[in-house]
Amino acid sequence: MPRTPNTRLTLLMEAGGWGPAQFAAALRGAAAEQGLTLTVHLTTVRRWLEGSQPRPPLPGLILECLSRRLDRCVTAHEAGLTRAPGPLVDPAWEADPMRKLFHLTHAELDPHRRALIGAGVLTATALALPAQDRIPARSVDSARAGRRATASDVEQLRAMASVFAASADQHGGQRMRAALAAYLAHEVTPLLHAPAPDPVHHALLAATARLALLLGSMCADSGHHAPAQHYHQIAARLAADAGDPTTLAIALRTMATHAHDLGQHTPAVLNLAEQADQHARNAPPAVRAYTHIHLAVLSAHHDRHATVAALARAECLHTEADVEPGPFSRYPAGALHYQRAQVLATLKDHTGALSALTTSLRLRTETERLPAALTRARLAETHLRLGHLEPALTHWHALIDIYPTLHSARADQRLTTAVQYLRPHRRHTGVTDLLDRITEVTSPPR
């Protein structure tokens, strides 16, 4: 049967000043940000304009590109994607966070639904906070039923957060993601609906927000950026409901970090970092250093003077921080120097970035196996950018030594990037050996 031309998509592309070739290039760029490789060309776009329907994850990418270009949210209906599946989870800030958490965690335990949610993409329009930068508060459910929740339940949630965080630092987020989702679905969510004194209920909300943050980071480490964004947003909402500005600051900072790592340096992302810093103003020095250093990372794309001031303030705050146990009460020195390197690299001070990364690696503890591996990857890339081939090879070999113990899409991506960096030097014997090792550790078993 003849297809009906998609005039809605044509009009949106024209409004954005895009022809088919330019739109295809924008889609490939947006896909690359999120670790996806797409075969989309001029002829592909022309087929859509003629009426064929793209398959996931393309509908999400199409809407994301058009929304960025037109600086507003473009819906599937508006773009003529009539047979594209709608979002399985409402991305709006106003959506009930507990309902979203219920649906997402149960979807994590269903392979088919997990694949559908994982096929989504990070949405730049959802990074913008509501009007006046206020996180909407959920109305309190007074009809809670079941066994009474107690302070010991809160302590259990906090203890489990430490367990899951330690595992993710050691091995990456892919393996523990389903376990944390199951824990949230079957143990934590019922507690949020249990009768409890208000202080206990608020503490449960805050502890759940931190577990949701960890699950979001595990999803991001698995290369599934849409559910990661949902979990981070849920965490911010739950922290706001709990009246916990410190956890809210950590959640907003995590959202900004996730977007930055995917190449988003827009004013909306900078605003997330600024709001995180504002909410952390009465937090312990470790949390204030944590939010302030990322404010420096994002400011480096906008204002050099503000960047230098934010960096100095973060370093000063870190010297005031007490060394406390727990993933949400301490900020490791190795992480601070890693982000300092990000700031310096953005400011084109690659020698300074190399020094900061070297310090970061030296300060990594045995429990920070994944962060240390990612630091080595950045060290290798920075060395090669400065023309230091031999030290770069040393760090990449060290990364490969530890790689089999990691289950992380970020580690996978760093090895893919290593191959791209090394191709111009492939006639060098040491490079050939390294490329052979990369092929060996990344090839699927026969």
Side-chain angles (χ1 to χ4, degrees), residues 140-142 144 148-149 154 194-206 241-243:
V140 177
D141 181 6
S142 59
R144 297 193 290 267
R148 192 171 185 81
V154 177
D198 281 347
V200 170
H201 183 64
H202 289 161
L204 285 171
L205 287 172
D241 291 344

Side-chain angles (χ1 to χ4, degrees), residues 281-296:
R281 60 186 178 274
N282 296 318
V287 176
R288 291 161 63 201
Y290 175 74
T291 60
H292 224 69
I293 190 68
H294 198 66
L295 186 57

